[in-house]
Amino acid sequence: SARVRAGAPPWLALPWSRRPALPGSAPAPLPRVTKAEAQAHPAAAMSADRTRLIIMAKIAEQAERWGDMVEYMSRIAKLGQLDVTERDMLSQAFKNATNERRTALRVIRQYDFNANPRLGEYHAKVQGELTSIGKNMLDLLPSLIDQASADVEGKVYYLKLKGDYSRYLAEFEAPCEGGSWVETANAAYKEAMELAKTGLNASHPGRLGLALNLSVFQNEVLKDRTGAIALAKETLEQLSQNPGSDPDGAVEGIASILKDNLDLWQAAGGGDGTTCEDL
């Protein structure tokens, strides 16, 4: 047995395998379903599987294992309609996994490919990872959009994601079969904005976030700074006329980013035109 100081609990002298569990020291066991139970009660089995995947996704989130979280949330999305929490978890997983690759590609592109032949291979590797993640999201979205057909907020949310991930692939010239990622992104953003203008208040965070990302797309990808400025101005003017409530500060945060972008876009020379690309 191990040596312990005087007055210490006696179980400290026990090997680790024999020590009692402390309250809160271990997570609750994940729900398990046998094959026979799954066959007898498929709905209950699916619910237990979903719960298990949610728990694993949250653990992956805490561990900042974004690729693992993407895998778990992708499997959850294939089980059926997502609630708001699950929808946000899906977005967070893909966003973090994608942003790692986008940042990496921007760093790689700062170097001279001719000076280092292996740099092109490395760029292709990271670009392949980004393309795989983006296409994974885009493969999930059609059914999620269909499931949200009666939910304006949900449909706008998913259409915005379609625009976002098509834009990410367009940024780094990922191969696109039967069209272009720019066209796909533009169509998705426009459909989402038309729906948001008729179904969501001017102060709704979903509508504001969509306007932010669409304006960045116009400026950065379409090279239409005039259109980006017009959209940002229109969004901020409508917000000032219909401020609404903002209990968690989301509206103020998005409006601040829009204002910062607008200032840059209107400034002489314009800089790179963007302070924040995504929400």
Side-chain angles (χ1 to χ4, degrees):
S1 62
R3 296 181 61 183
V4 297
R5 61 179 174 79
W11 53 262
L12 279 178
L14 297 174
W16 281 103
S17 61
R18 295 178 56 197
R19 293 185 183 185
L22 295 176
S25 63
L30 300 180
R32 295 185 180 276
V33 181
T34 67
K35 184 176 181 180
E37 289 171 336
Q39 292 175 342
H41 307 285
M46 184 176 292
S47 176
D49 190 35
R50 192 185 195 98
T51 300
R52 182 181 180 84
L53 290 169
I54 286 289
I55 293 172
M56 292 306 300
K58 289 181 177 179
I59 293 172
E61 177 184 8
Q62 292 176 12
E64 297 186 358
R65 294 273 298 178
W66 307 118
D68 295 340
M69 190 178 179
V70 163
E71 179 182 349
Y72 293 128
M73 293 310 303
S74 296
R75 291 168 62 184
I76 292 168
K78 293 175 183 177
L79 292 176
Q81 190 169 4
L82 304 180
D83 62 27
V84 174
T85 299
E86 293 167 347
R87 187 177 72 190
D88 290 343
M89 289 177 66
L90 177 78
S91 177
Q92 182 184 11
F94 275 86
K95 179 180 174 64
N96 283 296
T98 299
N99 281 352
E100 286 179 347
R101 276 78 179 176
R102 292 172 72 206
T103 300
L105 286 171
R106 286 170 179 157
V107 171
I108 293 170
R109 288 186 171 195
Q110 294 175 3
Y111 293 87
D112 183 1
F113 282 44
N114 294 324
N116 188 341
R118 293 188 177 181
L119 199 57
E121 297 177 7
Y122 188 44
H123 180 276
K125 175 180 181 292
V126 179
Q127 185 182 44
E129 294 174 358
L130 175 67
T131 301
S132 178
I133 294 169
K135 288 185 175 180
N136 185 3
M137 171 63 91
L138 292 171
D139 286 344
L140 293 172
L141 285 171
S143 62
L144 294 173
I145 292 170
D146 288 343
Q147 292 163 10
S149 59
D151 173 17
V152 173
E153 179 182 357
K155 189 168 184 179
V156 168
Y157 190 98
Y158 291 129
L159 284 169
K160 173 184 169 294
L161 287 181
K162 184 177 181 179
D164 290 341
Y165 284 86
S166 298
R167 170 163 64 94
Y168 301 154
L169 295 179
E171 285 177 343
F172 297 101
E173 300 91 32
C176 179
E177 298 179 3
S180 77
W181 294 122
V182 174
E183 293 171 356
T184 302
N186 198 29
Y189 279 138
K190 285 187 174 181
E191 183 179 355
M193 183 56 71
E194 290 174 2
L195 189 60
K197 286 183 175 181
T198 59
L200 299 178
N201 293 330
S203 60
H204 192 287
R207 178 171 168 178
L208 292 173
L210 170 62
L212 171 60
N213 284 20
L214 173 54
S215 63
V216 170
F217 170 71
Q218 290 174 319
N219 185 69
E220 296 294 308
V221 179
L222 298 182
K223 307 303 180 184
D224 178 15
R225 179 161 298 184
T226 301
I229 289 174
L231 177 57
K233 280 185 174 181
E234 177 188 7
T235 302
L236 291 171
E237 288 171 0
Q238 291 177 346
L239 177 60
S240 66
Q241 296 169 5
N242 304 276
S245 60
D246 187 21
D248 58 2
V251 172
E252 181 180 358
I254 301 172
S256 177
I257 297 170
L258 270 168
K259 290 175 183 176
D260 289 344
N261 284 352
L262 184 59
D263 289 343
L264 279 175
W265 293 336
Q266 291 179 318
D272 67 2
T274 306
T275 56
C276 180
E277 295 190 1
D278 310 293
L279 284 181

